[in-house]
């Protein structure tokens, strides 16, 4: 799926697919919904449920970022990003987050300096969005989380 300048991820449209992110793109994650499946649905998922736990979103940054805040990923609701992003430039470092809500690729130190960065996000529980990925940066790298 190719993103435009803005994109709000949707479990049905984007879950389990690779989203190609352009040079300028503000991505908003869907709020995590933990509504229990009704007992009447039997084993397995109810196709009418809004529960989005376990839906995997894969972002592939297909081009160089257009600038300092041109590529962002923002949590929906009161969700937090929990996990690690590795940023590789002149130095390489892993940055962990337990309370971050925004990822910014700034075209240099926090990623977006070349095509090929990727991020995987999975809602795990209420207010808990797992994040893993590798970002291509330049120079002395810095955290992409805020």
């Amino acid at each position: 799926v190719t993103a435009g300048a803005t994109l709000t991820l949707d479990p049905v449209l984007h879950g389990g697919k690779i989203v190609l992110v352009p040079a300028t793109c503000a991505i908003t994650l869907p709020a995590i919904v933990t509504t229990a499946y009704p007992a009447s649905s039997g084993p397995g998922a109810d196709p009418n449920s809004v529960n989005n736990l376990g839906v995997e979103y894969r972002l592939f940054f297909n081009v160089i970022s257009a600038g300092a805040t041109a590529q962002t990923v923002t949590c929906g609701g009161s969700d937090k990003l929990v996990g690690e992003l590795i940023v590789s430039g002149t130095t390489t470092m892993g940055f962990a987050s337990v309370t971050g809500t925004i990822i910014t690729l700034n075209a240099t130190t926090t990623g977006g300096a070349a095509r090929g960065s990727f991020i995987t996000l999975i809602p795990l529980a209420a207010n808990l969005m797992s994040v893993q990925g590798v970002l291509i940066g330049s120079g002395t790298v810095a955290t992409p989380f805020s």
Side-chain angles (χ1 to χ4, degrees):
V1 177
T2 301
T6 62
L7 176 65
T8 298
L9 292 178
D10 178 277
V12 174
L13 299 175
H14 307 107
K17 296 180 179 156
I18 297 170
V19 177
L20 300 177
V21 181
T24 300
C25 187
I27 298 171
T28 302
L29 299 170
I32 297 172
V33 179
T34 60
T35 306
Y37 295 117
S40 62
S41 70
D46 177 352
N48 298 313
S49 175
V50 295
N51 183 310
N52 62 358
L53 295 177
V55 175
E56 182 179 66
Y57 303 99
R58 293 179 282 178
L59 308 177
F60 181 80
F61 295 82
N62 199 31
V63 294
I64 296 170
S65 175
T69 59
Q71 294 173 322
T72 60
V73 180
T74 303
C75 284
S78 58
D79 301 333
K80 304 290 186 224
L81 297 163
V82 177
E84 180 180 36
L85 290 172
I86 296 169
V87 184
S88 180
T90 305
T91 60
T92 298
M93 185 174 267
F95 296 96
S97 172
V98 294
T99 60
T101 59
I102 300 171
I103 299 167
T104 302
L105 285 72
N106 69 359
T108 58
T109 59
T110 65
R115 66 187 304 191
S117 296
F118 68 90
I119 299 172
T120 301
L121 301 130
I122 303 171
L124 297 179
N127 303 318
L128 181 64
M129 180 70 74
S130 167
V131 59
Q132 300 293 320
V134 176
L135 306 178
I136 301 170
S138 64
T140 302
V141 298
T143 184
F145 294 109
S146 58

